[in-house]
């Protein structure tokens, strides 16, 4: 007969959800998004210029 007491729970799946009930964006979220978008918008003209010169 199967006994479910020997199953080891996987705690790693819930580590990122401590603040799951929190509403809105934190300052860290906004800074991360601004940083990502600044990299994308800064490099996109460089990539387009490179593609025009090479192709």
């Amino acid at each position: 007969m199967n006994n479910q007491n020997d199953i080891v729970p996987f705690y790693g799946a819930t580590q990122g959800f401590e603040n799951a009930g929190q509403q809105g964006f934190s300052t860290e979220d906004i800074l991360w998004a601004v940083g990502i978008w600044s990299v994308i918008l800064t490099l996109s003209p460089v990539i387009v210029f490179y593609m025009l010169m090479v192709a």
Side-chain angles (χ1 to χ4, degrees):
M1 188 164 197
N2 288 337
N3 186 1
Q4 300 218 350
N5 291 332
D6 58 353
I7 295 176
V8 177
F10 179 65
Y11 293 107
T14 59
Q15 287 180 353
F17 298 103
E18 292 92 3
N19 298 324
Q22 177 183 350
Q23 295 292 323
F25 295 107
S26 68
T27 306
E28 184 180 357
D29 294 332
I30 295 170
L31 289 176
W32 185 86
V34 168
I36 292 297
W37 277 107
S38 65
V39 169
I40 291 171
L41 293 176
T42 303
L43 290 181
S44 56
V46 175
I47 294 170
V48 169
F49 180 73
Y50 176 78
M51 293 299 291
L52 289 173
M53 294 302 288
V54 170

